Amino acid sequence: MSKEKLLFKKFGRVFPPGTLLFEEGQDCSGMYIIQKGCVRLYKRVGQKEITIDILKEGDFFGEMACLLGQPRSINAVVEEESQVLVVEPEVLEELFREKSGLGIKILGNLASRLRRAYDIIGRLAEERDFPPGKEPL
């Protein structure tokens, strides 16, 4: 049996479209790794859902709440049927200790998300200071 099939047998789940994997404010239930499919990350702002990212095969998410020991800061919903590995917090912690390559990959992912967040903050600040039609001369 291939390594991927063994991992899926141990940690894998299939989620139909519309499945809410987690919501803002929930405790960490683990990290998710998409093997096949699509998951949308979003924030609720009033009655609106603001899409933060669309994740696909090979992407992972949900690790931040586990690492920080804080509630989820975002929502995750399955957009199309998805095969996902669900890595429980205890297993994730063990993987961090034993597999430095995983830790480096997650740090890179977090740094990339932080850069995107800075870009969004910059755009929002520009829009606030200079609403459309009122750009500086």
Side-chain angles (χ1 to χ4, degrees), residues 83-128:
Q83 295 177 359
V84 180
L85 301 178
V86 182
V87 183
E88 296 173 352
E90 308 79 45
V91 175
L92 183 59
E93 192 173 312
E94 187 177 320
L95 286 171
F96 276 131
R97 286 196 183 112
E98 295 178 8
K99 306 282 185 193
S100 62
L102 176 66
I104 290 169
K105 187 170 183 174
I106 289 176
L107 282 174
N109 190 23
L110 291 173
S112 175
R113 289 182 192 164
L114 185 58
R115 178 178 293 268
R116 280 196 306 268
Y118 287 161
D119 290 345
I120 291 168
I121 291 167
R123 284 195 305 272
L124 290 173
E126 286 175 6
E127 288 174 12
R128 185 197 69 205

Side-chain angles (χ1 to χ4, degrees), residues 26-28 62-74 89 92-93 96 106-107 110 113-114:
Q26 288 182 335
D27 289 335
C28 176
E63 74 287 348
M64 196 161 51
C66 297
L67 291 171
L68 296 174
Q70 296 178 355
R72 303 269 188 205
S73 61
I74 204 162
L92 183 59
E93 192 173 312
F96 276 131
I106 289 176
L107 282 174
L110 291 173
R113 289 182 192 164
L114 185 58

Side-chain angles (χ1 to χ4, degrees), residues 10-71:
K10 186 169 185 174
F11 300 107
R13 294 191 49 201
V14 177
F15 295 100
T19 301
L20 187 62
L21 298 175
F22 56 78
E23 293 183 275
E24 292 175 70
Q26 288 182 335
D27 289 335
C28 176
S29 55
M31 180 178 92
Y32 299 79
I33 304 168
I34 303 170
Q35 287 195 310
K36 182 179 178 186
C38 179
V39 174
R40 180 171 64 96
L41 303 180
Y42 67 94
K43 294 277 292 177
R44 286 190 203 281
V45 179
Q47 297 297 319
K48 290 184 176 181
E49 290 183 359
I50 308 297
T51 297
I52 303 300
D53 210 348
I54 304 286
L55 305 176
K56 299 192 181 273
E57 183 177 324
D59 289 331
F60 57 89
F61 59 98
E63 74 287 348
M64 196 161 51
C66 297
L67 291 171
L68 296 174
Q70 296 178 355

